[in-house]
Amino acid sequence: MGSKKFFILTFGCQMNVYDSGRIAQILTARNYQPVHDPAGADLILLNTCSVREKPEKKVYSALGRFRTLKRKKPGLLIGVAGCVAQQEGEGLLARVPYLDFVLGTKELKKIPEILDRLERTAGRACAVALDGRIDPYRELPLFPAPGGPTAFVSTMQGCDNFCSFCVVPFVRGREVSRPSQDIREEIKALSEKGVKEVTLLGQNVNSYGRGTPGEPDFVGLLESIEKIPGIERIRFTTSHPKDLSAGLIGAFGRLSRLCEHIHLPLQSGSNHILERMNRGYTKEEYLERVQRLRAACPGISITTDIIVGFPGETEEDFRQTLEMLERIQFEEMFSFRYSDRPGTRASTFPAKIQEGSKQKRLTELQALQRGITQRRYKTWEGREAEILVEGPSKAGGEEKTGRTRANHIVNFPGASIAVGALVRVRIQKALAHSLRGELI
Ligand code: SAH
Ligand code: SF4
Ligand code: F3S
């Protein structure tokens, strides 16, 4: 019998991208092969995100599209994994009658068992246990296959911070660090397959190792990864401003492979809103951390996340966010309109902001940051940078694309340059969200 085909559609953050890689490996070990067109698949899996209303809605519209495929091919299995699966559980089976299975964020190990059952007999399955501080990757035998010279590596699961707007602690469970030995072995295996850059993932990497006796802290983990041969660049995401340690600040500029970029979500520039968000820092503390980062590592690129229209956010609160953007001069910003998430404290807060006002604030915020990003990108013109070549550029042709250590995308003519090469380029021109360069 020929092998079966699977198609995975991934929504949400890098953790989901990582998990989809692990799922693909589990399926490949079961004689399934990946396909790029869902119409040819025997199994379609949606790996979902529920962090905001918009990504969650996308899941339902995607499911709607797959319904017709299922009508044409009754043997087709459709499953939902990830954070919406965790959030909705059995309810998702009730809501989507043609759905075959629901798989929670810590249940990847159950995939073989569920497929064994559903391939043989008609029926439906739901596995969404989330208890305890269990590392969900421990029971999975294989390392993720690299898709190029860069790879994500999970260092921890879950989050204990309970920011009042955030669903992550409810859908990813309590914080649990992976054993550092597992992380290093995974990175060694990736390196042997040609990976040059790893991005370490965790909702708050600063608490890596907390509550795990005998394990290093995050800086210790970084130091041990520095020594793995073949790994030229290390990145991580995300670090929470409230516990950005002096040790981690000092690691920038000290560890030669740690790239000069940090994603440090500010969320709001108003102390009143930060407190209601339960973020655990004031804008003054945030500013002080930014200053220390820039003192330790002058070239560091700082990017952020902002939420506009949090319940009770006044025009004055919003002005303070704009002011923080002016003062800090972030390299890039990701910004979102606040949306209520099930089970969160903020969803019960009064003084919800109208969608129209949220949109107006978002537009103003993004216009301000666009100018700042442009000015910062402009400072790169004429300078040299080291690029890790990631593949052909979107424009196609002879163009290649890669990133600087500070995480700027650079496109350059480089027909003969191999993917995975570290090259030096001179930046010629700054565009809206990328740079153009030429090989030196
Ligand atoms: N762990 C990261 C954030 C993960 S969620 C941290 O601690 O910052 C990614 C981003 O989504 C958040 O930084 C926040 O800006 C946004 N976000 C989360 N919940 C949201 C909500 N309910 N409404 C709008 N944006 C939200
Ligand atoms: Fe969500 Fe806050 Fe945890 Fe980030 S730190 S995942 S925003 S609860
Ligand atoms: Fe979304 Fe889950 Fe990541 S809610 S942001 S996919 S942890």
Side-chain angles (χ1 to χ4, degrees):
M1 207 179 82
S3 70
K4 296 199 168 192
K5 310 276 191 291
F6 72 91
F7 176 79
I8 303 182
L9 190 56
T10 308
F11 302 84
C13 67
Q14 296 100 324
M15 323 231 166
N16 267 12
V17 175
Y18 177 81
D19 283 351
S20 288
R22 303 289 303 229
I23 294 170
Q25 285 257 304
I26 297 170
L27 293 173
T28 311
R30 282 183 59 87
N31 200 25
Y32 270 87
Q33 275 174 6
V35 286
H36 294 295
D37 180 4
D42 303 287
L43 167 65
I44 294 176
L45 193 66
L46 285 78
N47 197 5
T48 62
C49 173
S50 65
V51 80
R52 290 174 298 276
E53 205 171 283
K54 220 159 102 187
E56 186 175 346
K57 278 196 176 140
K58 280 193 204 156
V59 172
Y60 293 103
S61 53
L63 275 169
R65 289 199 305 277
F66 296 138
R67 175 180 213 163
T68 34
L69 292 180
K70 178 105 179 174
R71 281 213 193 99
K72 284 188 212 145
K73 193 179 193 177
L76 169 67
L77 291 178
I78 301 182
V80 172
C83 297
V84 176
Q86 190 64 53
Q87 180 181 297
E88 301 297 319
E90 293 267 0
L92 204 54
L93 290 178
R95 176 167 175 178
V96 186
Y98 50 92
L99 186 62
D100 297 291
F101 66 96
V102 172
L103 190 77
T105 52
K106 286 186 143 187
E107 297 277 45
L108 303 191
K109 60 179 182 298
K110 295 253 176 78
I111 293 174
E113 180 186 318
I114 289 176
L115 289 181
D116 276 343
R117 190 142 53 84
L118 299 187
E119 282 166 356
R120 273 187 286 112
T121 53
R124 309 174 87 191
C126 179
V128 287
L130 191 66
D131 356 293
R133 297 193 185 257
I134 295 163
D135 167 9
Y137 304 112
R138 275 247 102 166
E139 299 109 327
L140 306 181
L142 294 164
F143 295 116
T150 64
F152 293 133
V153 176
S154 167
T155 64
M156 56 195 297
Q157 263 285 6
C159 184
D160 288 352
N161 283 324
F162 290 94
C163 301
S164 64
F165 52 81
C166 187
V167 80
V168 170
F170 303 97
V171 291
R172 291 271 170 175
R174 295 289 61 74
E175 199 174 278
V176 48
S177 298
R178 293 180 70 192
S180 59
Q181 181 70 18
D182 289 11
I183 298 169
R184 277 191 300 271
E185 270 172 24
E186 186 165 322
I187 295 175
K188 272 182 206 146
L190 287 167
S191 166
E192 279 158 20
K193 289 176 182 162
V195 167
K196 299 262 174 62
E197 175 185 303
V198 288
T199 301
L200 308 176
L201 304 179
Q203 294 294 355
N204 178 13
V205 292
N206 249 296
S207 37
Y208 177 81
R210 193 190 284 166
T212 327
E215 288 293 2
D217 63 5
F218 188 63
V219 175
L221 180 69
L222 285 174
E223 282 165 350
S224 70
I225 295 171
E226 272 259 308
K227 299 193 193 106
I228 298 176
I231 298 299
E232 308 278 358
R233 291 175 165 195
I234 306 169
R235 303 184 187 279
F236 62 82
T237 192
T238 302
S239 172
H240 194 301
K242 86 173 150 62
D243 25 41
L244 177 60
S245 66
L248 187 52
I249 292 174
F252 285 105
R254 177 171 68 86
L255 300 181
S256 65
R257 289 171 177 173
L258 183 60
C259 289
E260 293 77 20
H261 168 227
I262 186 166
H263 186 62
L264 200 62
L266 170 63
Q267 313 296 7
S268 167
S270 153
N271 284 341
H272 169 64
I273 296 295
L274 285 172
E275 183 170 353
R276 286 167 51 90
M277 285 177 161
N278 191 33
R279 288 291 287 178
Y281 54 86
T282 61
K283 68 174 175 188
E284 291 78 15
E285 284 162 345
Y286 186 97
L287 278 169
E288 183 251 349
R289 263 146 234 184
V290 166
Q291 279 158 8
R292 276 165 48 207
L293 278 164
R294 287 185 169 148
C297 182
I300 197 165
S301 143
I302 305 177
T303 57
T304 204
D305 291 348
I306 301 282
I307 297 176
V308 297
F310 185 81
E313 184 188 68
T314 61
E315 269 305 306
E316 171 52 26
D317 291 320
F318 175 62
R319 296 285 133 213
Q320 292 185 25
T321 301
L322 296 175
E323 220 172 88
M324 282 291 274
L325 257 53
E326 297 264 22
R327 282 180 75 169
I328 294 167
Q329 301 278 303
F330 291 110
E331 209 77 10
E332 295 270 4
M333 168 195 74
F334 302 88
S335 49
F336 313 100
R337 276 174 292 159
Y338 168 81
S339 55
D340 278 340
R341 300 287 71 212
T344 61
R345 274 209 292 134
S347 68
T348 69
F349 289 176
K352 294 276 154 59
I353 309 298
Q354 287 190 340
E355 284 307 314
S357 313
K358 284 188 213 167
Q359 186 53 51
K360 224 173 119 251
R361 288 178 193 175
L362 189 69
T363 307
E364 187 176 351
L365 184 85
Q366 289 177 341
L368 172 65
Q369 182 58 41
R370 202 172 305 126
I372 296 170
T373 295
Q374 243 159 46
R375 281 197 296 282
R376 291 201 72 95
Y377 273 46
K378 268 246 172 272
T379 65
W380 278 91
E381 290 182 355
R383 282 162 65 189
E384 273 185 33
E386 179 206 84
I387 312 294
L388 175 61
V389 183
E390 293 181 19
S393 88
K394 279 195 195 130
E398 319 238 287
E399 290 257 303
K400 288 281 189 332
T401 191
R403 281 170 198 267
T404 64
R405 285 173 59 99
N407 212 30
H408 306 91
I409 293 171
V410 181
N411 296 308
F412 60 96
S416 59
I417 304 295
V419 171
L422 279 166
V423 297
R424 291 199 71 79
V425 298
R426 184 174 308 284
I427 306 302
Q428 295 164 306
K429 193 157 176 47
L431 304 171
H433 296 282
S434 67
L435 301 169
R436 279 206 58 78
E438 63 178 353
L439 282 168
I440 295 175

